[in-house]
Amino acid sequence: MNRKLPEYTVSLRNLFRVYGTLFAGVLIILCFSILSPDFASVDNMINISRQISFLVIIALGATLVMAVGEFDLSIGAMASLGGVIAAKLAVSGQPIWLCILIPLVSSLVIGYINGWVVTKFRVLSFITTLAMGTILGGITFWLTDGATIFENIPESFRYLGQEMWFTIPILSFIMLFLTFVFWYIMSHTPFGRRLYAIGGNESASRNAGVSVAINKNMAFALCAMLATLAGILMASRLGSAQPTSGDGLFLPAYAAVFLGMTSFKEGVPNIWGTFVGAAIIGILANGLTMLEVPSFLQDVVTGCIVIAAVILQKTGRDSS
Amino acid sequence: MLEVKELDKRFGFHYALSKISLDVQAGEIHALIGENGAGKSTLIKILTGIYQVDSGKIFWNGQDIQIREPKAARKIGIQVVHQDRQLIRSFTGYENLFLGMSYPKQKWALGIHWKQMRVEAEEVKKRLGIQLNLSKLAKDMSPSEKTMLEIMRAAMMDCRLLILDEPTAALNDEESELLYALIHKLVAKGTSILYVSHRMNEILRLSHRVTVMRNGKIAGTFPTNEMNKDKLVQLMTNQDGTTKVREHKSSLTGKPEVLRLTGISSMDQKVKHISLDVKQGEIVGVFGLAGSGRTELLETIYGTRKRKSGKVEIQGERVESISPKHSLSKGIILIPEDRRGDGLVLDMSIRENMTLSTLSRFSSLFHMRKQREQTEVHAWMERLQVKATSSEQAIKELSGGNQQKVVFAKALLSKPILFLCDEPTQAVDVMTREEIHQLLREQTTQDSGVLFVSSDVQEVLEIADRIFVVHDGATVAEFQNEAVTAEQILQVCYNQRKLSDVENE
C-alpha cells in the first residue's frame, strides 16, 4: 500500500543515487571547461579517450574478479610482463599477431592458476595474487635485466598504440569495443549471471548448482588477460616496454571499480560503472595537468574523490 | 528478583513470543524447557538486551526496567553463558576472562598488569573451587573447560542472575557433575540461575521450579518436585488432541524407491552409517534434536558435505554425488535450512534468484533470453502467490515466507524428483507454512519423493508418511506415521541421550 505513495521522490533520489557518479563526472568536466579553455576541445577529448584506454581495459578485468568477491593484486605486474614479452617477441622478429597472442594466452593460464590456488586450496585471493604479482615481477626483471626495451622495435608493433582510424585512436576503439563486450557478458549471458551470483552468495550459488570454482577461475583468467592486453597496448603506444610500466595502473584500476560500484548497479561491481570511474580518474588527471597542478597533488585529489564517492554512496544507501 | 510480564516479540508477522510471564526468585534455580523453536532463545536474547520487546514489562528487584543493549544487562547483574561459546579462540584463559572488563593496569605505565590479572583470576578460581589451567589458549580447551571459563567470567562481574543456555550440551556426565557443583556454589552465594536445557534428568535433579514453553507461549510453571519426565514431555508437546488429522494416503507399498541410502557416512563423521529409503510419492520425516546430524545428513546426500562411504541410489541408479551441480542433474534439490545464508543471493532480484539453477534453460548459445525468463518467473510468482511489487524487486525486501516461496520456485524449475527439505517452514508465517506443506503434498502426487527434516515434532507428524529419528549422526528409530505420538518420538531422543551419557562414563 504505502509503497505506491512516494514514487516521485523515491525515483528522484534513486536517480541521483544510481547516476550520482555520472553527474559528478559531468560536473568535473564542466569545472575544467570553465577553468581551462583548451580542456573542452575535440582534440583534448580524443586525447583523454586515448589516455584512459589502458586504465579502462585493466579495470574491466578487476571488475570481473571483484564481481565474484575476490581481489587480484597481480594485475599491475601482469601488465608489465605482458608488455615486456610482446616487445621482446617483436624485437626477435616474430609476426605481430604472434607477439600479441603469446602473452595473452600465457596470461590466461597464469590467471587460471591464480583462481585455481584460491578455489582449490582456499587461500585468500589477496595473498595468492600478491605472491603471484611478486613472481611475475621477478620474471619480468629476469627477462629485461631491469632495463627498458626500446631498441629494434619494428614499426608494426606501434600500429595499435599510435595509429588512428577516422581521426580517432585505435586504442579508443579497442577500449569501447571491450567495454561493450564485457558489458554484454556480465549482463546478458548466463556466465555473467553466475559470476554475480557467486559474488552475492557463494554458498547459495553452489546449492543452486553453479560450479563456483570453475567460474571463479575463469574470472581470474579473463582478468589476467585484460591486464596483459593493457600492458601490450601501453608498450605499443610508447614504442617501448618498461619492466614496471604496469605497476602504476594497479591502484587506479581498483579506484575505478570502486567508483563504478557507486553507480548504475549500486554496490555491485559493474562494467559501465567501471568505465565511468576510469573516465573520471582520467579526466581528473588530464584536467589537473592542464591547470599545471603538480602530479603529487593530483594523486591526493584522486584519492579524496574515491573516498568521498564511496562515503556518499554508503550514506545514501543507509538512509533509504 | 526478576519478573517479566506479558512479553510479546514479533518477527514480521510471526509471533516468536506472546504473553510471556515468568519470575525468578533470589537464589533459585529456575529451569526453562521447551522444544526447538518454542521461544527459549528469543526470551534469553530479550533478557540479555540483544532483542527488544514489542510489548510487555520487565521488573528487576521490583523496578520496571528496559534492557536496551547487552552492556545494560551485564551492568544490572544479568550474565549469560550462551550455547555457542563466546570466547576468542586465540586468547588464553586469562585474556578471555578479563575480556570486556578493564584489564588491570600497571601503576605508572599503560601496559597490562599480567601478574595482577593472574592473582585476581586465581582468587576467583579458589572462591568457586574450579580447577582450570588458564594459561591455555581457548581453542585448546575442552567444551567443559570453556563452560567453566565462561561461568568464571560471569562470576567475576556482578552476577545476580546467571542464564545458562544448554550448558551441558557438549559435556559428559563427569563434567556435568562438576558444573552442577559449581552451580550449587553460586546459588549458595545468592545468585539465581535460569537454566535452559533439553535434558530432563538434570532439570528434575537440579532445579527448584520449572517453566515449560510451547510455541512462544508459557505452558506453565511448576515446582519441580511435583513433576516427572512424562508430565514434562506432555506439557512440551501438548498432546491434547488438537493435532490435525493427516489426510489419508493411498498405499505406498509396491511403489518404486526414489532414494535409497545404504550406510552412508560423512567424512567428518557427523553422519554415521545411515540407511534409509524414500518411495515415490512419499514424504519421509527426519526428526532429531539439535546437533543430531539431521542437516548434515541432507548435506551429505546433496554433496555439500564430503561423503566418506556408503551408497546413494536415485531411482535404482547409483550416484556418486560429488557436487550439488551433479545432484541437481540427477533430480535432487536441497532446500537449505539457512535461507538467507545458503539459499538466496540477497542482492539479486526475485527473477535472478529464481532462475539461478536453470540458467541454461533460459539462454540460447550465450545469450540470456530475458523475455522467456520473465514470463516463466511471472508464472511461478502467480502460482505460488509470491507477494512482491515485481519480479525485479530485490529478494532481500521480501518477507521470510515470500523468500521461501522463491526458493521453492527455484527448486521446482529444475523439475526435481527428490526434495531434501531442511526446516523449510522455519521463520515462516502460518499461511505460508500451510502452502509449503500443500506444495510438497502436491509434488508427491506427481511421484516425487520428499525427505523432510524438522526440529518440530508436530510438523513431522503432520506431514510425514514415515518418520526416522536420528541421534548423534545415526538413525535410531523408524516409525510408520500411523499410531505414533510426539511423546513416543521425543522419548526415543531423550532416552538415546541418556544412553550415550552412560557410554561416556
Side-chain angles (χ1 to χ4, degrees):
Chain A
M1 313 308 116
N2 57 358
R3 71 174 92 98
K4 273 191 179 156
L5 277 170
E7 193 136 326
Y8 174 73
T9 44
V10 161
S11 67
L12 196 69
R13 186 203 258 166
N14 269 349
L15 205 68
F16 195 75
R17 240 172 48 205
V18 173
Y19 296 106
T21 316
L22 202 61
F23 291 152
V26 173
L27 205 69
I28 290 168
I29 292 176
L30 282 176
C31 287
F32 282 133
S33 308
I34 295 162
L35 292 172
S36 161
D38 297 333
F39 179 81
S41 68
V42 174
D43 275 355
N44 192 43
M45 286 300 144
I46 288 174
N47 190 24
I48 290 176
S49 82
R50 178 165 46 208
Q51 283 171 353
I52 64 170
S53 59
F54 316 115
L55 183 58
V56 168
I57 292 168
I58 201 167
L60 290 177
T63 312
L64 258 61
V65 171
M66 281 195 59
V68 294
E70 301 287 353
F71 249 105
D72 188 344
L73 305 186
S74 66
I75 52 174
M78 193 83 72
S80 307
L81 180 62
V84 164
I85 293 179
K88 276 223 141 193
L89 288 169
V91 169
S92 74
Q94 300 297 329
I96 210 72
W97 61 270
L98 208 58
C99 300
I100 295 171
L101 195 65
I102 287 175
L104 286 186
V105 171
S106 17
S107 66
L108 272 176
V109 175
I110 294 167
Y112 203 88
I113 292 172
N114 267 338
W116 180 71
V117 173
V118 170
T119 52
K120 177 84 184 174
F121 304 102
R122 292 166 202 260
V123 182
L124 284 180
S125 59
F126 236 82
I127 299 167
T128 310
T129 56
L130 188 66
M132 183 57 87
T134 314
I135 294 169
L136 297 178
I139 294 173
T140 309
F141 196 81
W142 169 58
L143 287 175
T144 58
D145 282 327
T148 304
I149 301 169
F150 62 95
E151 283 169 354
N152 304 322
I153 288 185
E155 196 54 40
S156 58
F157 186 73
R158 299 194 179 107
Y159 179 77
L160 285 177
Q162 297 183 354
E163 287 306 308
M164 310 245 196
W165 288 340
F166 323 110
T167 72
I168 292 175
I170 297 176
L171 283 176
S172 310
F173 281 112
I174 295 176
M175 165 185 79
L176 284 174
F177 174 72
L178 287 175
T179 307
F180 187 78
V181 166
F182 279 91
W183 163 74
Y184 183 83
I185 288 176
M186 290 308 279
S187 41
H188 288 281
T189 67
F191 174 63
R193 187 77 65 82
R194 289 192 184 105
L195 293 190
Y196 278 132
I198 291 168
N201 187 340
E202 199 172 314
S203 166
S205 305
R206 187 174 291 115
N207 280 332
V210 175
S211 313
V212 172
I214 291 173
N215 283 292
K216 268 195 179 179
N217 296 354
M218 289 294 290
F220 274 103
L222 286 171
C223 172
M225 191 191 73
L226 285 164
T228 303
L229 183 64
I232 296 170
L233 293 175
M234 201 147 61
S236 169
R237 166 88 186 124
L238 299 171
S240 68
Q242 287 171 19
T244 56
S245 57
D247 298 5
L249 285 177
F250 160 58
L251 284 174
Y254 280 100
V257 180
F258 279 115
L259 272 178
M261 281 168 69
T262 63
S263 47
F264 304 119
K265 275 182 99 173
E266 198 200 336
V268 179
N270 65 93
I271 296 296
W272 285 111
T274 298
F275 181 83
V276 170
I280 287 178
I281 292 169
I283 288 166
L284 274 174
N286 177 282
L288 293 172
T289 310
M290 286 188 118
L291 296 175
E292 292 173 358
V293 175
S295 69
F296 70 86
L297 208 57
Q298 291 182 21
D299 289 348
V300 173
V301 171
T302 311
C304 289
I305 283 183
V306 172
I307 291 174
V310 177
I311 290 174
L312 275 178
Q313 186 247 346
K314 272 241 186 287
T315 49
R317 211 175 189 196
D318 294 343
S319 70
S320 67
Chain B
M1 184 160 96
L2 173 78
E3 190 178 1
V4 298
K5 270 197 179 150
E6 312 235 308
L7 286 190
D8 277 347
K9 176 70 190 171
R10 281 185 305 268
F11 293 113
F13 301 106
H14 177 75
Y15 267 90
L17 295 180
S18 85
K19 305 238 173 306
I20 295 289
S21 297
L22 177 83
D23 69 289
V24 180
Q25 304 297 327
E28 181 192 28
I29 303 178
H30 194 121
L32 186 61
I33 64 167
E35 290 183 62
N36 297 324
K40 295 165 300 184
S41 305
T42 312
L43 179 59
I44 293 174
K45 283 181 177 159
I46 286 171
L47 291 178
T48 51
I50 297 169
Y51 290 158
Q52 301 302 313
V53 290
D54 291 324
S55 68
K57 286 198 160 139
I58 304 174
F59 294 96
W60 181 250
N61 292 326
Q63 259 188 322
D64 186 357
I65 54 157
Q66 280 176 340
I67 306 171
R68 288 235 164 72
E69 49 173 354
K71 231 163 80 183
R74 277 201 293 265
K75 211 171 142 196
I76 59 171
I78 300 179
Q79 312 297 338
V80 61
V81 174
H82 284 288
Q83 205 172 341
D84 41 341
R85 311 264 177 276
Q86 317 255 315
L87 296 171
I88 295 176
R89 288 167 49 81
S90 58
F91 274 19
T92 63
Y94 289 112
E95 288 166 316
N96 268 303
L97 198 56
F98 283 84
L99 205 70
M101 284 177 266
S102 50
Y103 286 83
K105 298 259 176 54
Q106 279 160 356
K107 212 169 183 184
W108 297 112
L110 290 169
I112 295 170
H113 201 320
W114 295 103
K115 213 171 127 196
Q116 173 71 22
M117 207 158 125
R118 246 171 250 137
V119 172
E120 278 182 38
E122 292 307 319
E123 251 167 47
V124 178
K125 257 166 73 175
K126 211 190 282 167
R127 182 150 58 92
L128 299 175
I130 293 177
Q131 305 278 327
L132 184 61
N133 177 7
L134 284 171
S135 47
K136 249 202 258 184
L137 294 181
K139 65 177 172 195
D140 297 329
M141 290 185 177
S142 70
S144 151
E145 288 174 319
K146 285 182 195 168
T147 309
M148 296 290 172
L149 179 59
E150 287 221 57
I151 293 177
M152 263 182 83
R153 185 160 79 181
M156 281 180 73
M157 290 181 257
D158 179 23
C159 183
R160 314 272 188 81
L161 172 66
L162 178 63
I163 302 174
L164 297 170
D165 190 1
E166 299 250 14
T168 53
L171 307 191
N172 64 30
D173 268 15
E174 206 176 319
E175 292 165 336
S176 299
E177 287 301 332
L178 283 174
L179 181 75
Y180 302 153
L182 177 56
I183 289 172
H184 283 305
K185 240 180 213 137
L186 285 168
V187 170
K189 288 187 200 315
T191 304
S192 309
I193 309 276
L194 186 59
Y195 192 93
V196 181
S197 177
H198 274 302
R199 297 190 178 186
M200 301 285 167
N201 289 336
E202 64 186 34
I203 282 175
L204 290 170
R205 201 184 115 184
L206 211 58
S207 67
H208 302 122
R209 283 192 301 162
V210 53
T211 293
V212 183
M213 286 184 80
R214 185 176 64 223
N215 288 333
K217 297 192 182 77
I218 299 282
T221 300
F222 311 91
T224 308
N225 52 24
E226 291 174 14
M227 278 285 131
N228 62 35
K229 221 174 176 178
D230 290 339
K231 275 193 201 163
L232 285 176
V233 171
Q234 204 173 347
L235 279 163
M236 277 164 68
T237 55
N238 185 29
Q239 283 291 10
D240 56 356
T242 52
T243 348
K244 286 197 197 90
V245 183
R246 230 161 28 89
E247 290 164 45
H248 189 70
K249 240 192 190 156
S250 55
S251 172
L252 289 161
T253 45
K255 284 262 191 182
E257 283 166 358
V258 181
L259 172 76
R260 167 161 287 279
L261 305 177
T262 322
I264 66 160
S265 304
S266 68
M267 207 64 106
D268 52 12
Q269 286 297 308
K270 288 268 170 66
V271 176
K272 295 169 195 159
H273 209 77
I274 285 185
S275 302
L276 56 78
D277 64 291
V278 181
K279 293 196 180 68
Q280 270 186 15
E282 189 181 31
I283 299 178
V284 173
V286 175
F287 176 79
L289 299 172
S292 57
R294 29 176 212 203
T295 296
E296 289 81 358
L297 169 64
L298 296 191
E299 288 175 351
T300 312
I301 301 171
Y302 196 55
T304 36
R305 188 170 288 269
K306 278 216 175 96
R307 197 199 312 165
K308 189 177 158 203
S309 56
K311 211 163 68 173
V312 177
E313 285 161 289
I314 298 293
Q315 294 186 318
E317 183 199 343
R318 187 167 178 172
V319 281
E320 284 307 322
S321 179
I322 29 166
S323 68
K325 189 181 179 180
H326 191 70
S327 298
L328 263 159
S329 71
K330 296 286 174 200
I332 313 175
I333 183 76
L334 175 75
I335 310 287
E337 179 179 17
D338 181 359
R339 180 166 55 231
R340 299 164 70 83
D342 303 321
L344 295 167
V345 184
L346 290 174
D347 276 332
M348 284 185 149
S349 66
I350 296 173
R351 171 175 57 84
E352 288 169 316
N353 269 291
M354 211 185 270
T355 57
L356 191 56
S357 294
T358 41
L359 283 176
S360 51
R361 278 227 328 255
F362 300 104
S363 59
S364 42
L365 213 55
F366 296 118
H367 186 73
M368 285 300 299
R369 299 273 171 173
K370 287 197 181 156
Q371 204 62 45
R372 203 194 295 171
E373 196 185 356
Q374 199 82 263
T375 323
E376 186 92 17
V377 168
H378 280 146
W380 278 105
M381 282 175 70
E382 197 148 317
R383 211 191 122 187
L384 301 186
Q385 296 182 0
V386 178
K387 288 179 198 73
T389 49
S390 83
S391 62
E392 300 311 302
Q393 193 178 2
I395 194 92
K396 61 183 164 203
E397 292 169 8
L398 302 192
S399 73
N402 283 306
Q403 286 182 348
Q404 191 70 327
K405 285 181 183 176
V406 176
V407 172
F408 266 97
K410 176 169 72 175
L412 291 166
L413 267 164
S414 69
K415 301 200 174 84
I417 52 166
L418 175 66
F419 291 80
L420 308 173
C421 299
D422 196 355
E423 306 265 8
T425 60
Q426 202 179 51
V428 150
D429 55 293
V430 186
M431 274 287 287
T432 311
R433 180 182 145 120
E434 277 312 306
E435 283 170 15
I436 288 172
H437 285 178
Q438 197 48 46
L439 184 83
L440 288 171
R441 286 193 196 103
E442 258 171 53
Q443 290 301 310
T444 56
T445 61
Q446 291 159 23
D447 276 351
S448 293
V450 177
L451 196 57
F452 191 100
V453 163
S454 177
S455 56
D456 180 350
V457 190
Q458 298 301 347
E459 186 177 23
V460 174
L461 284 169
E462 214 174 294
I463 194 164
D465 301 307
R466 210 149 38 101
I467 299 165
F468 284 92
V469 178
V470 288
H471 176 81
D472 196 20
T475 46
V476 289
E478 179 184 350
F479 298 100
Q480 287 294 332
N481 189 7
E482 270 151 23
V484 68
T485 63
E487 282 175 271
Q488 281 172 304
I489 293 176
L490 280 174
Q491 212 61 260
V492 170
C493 293
Y494 292 125
N495 286 340
Q496 281 297 326
R497 204 166 232 190
K498 235 169 66 190
L499 270 177
S500 55
D501 288 352
V502 172
E503 278 163 25
N504 281 337
E505 259 176 42

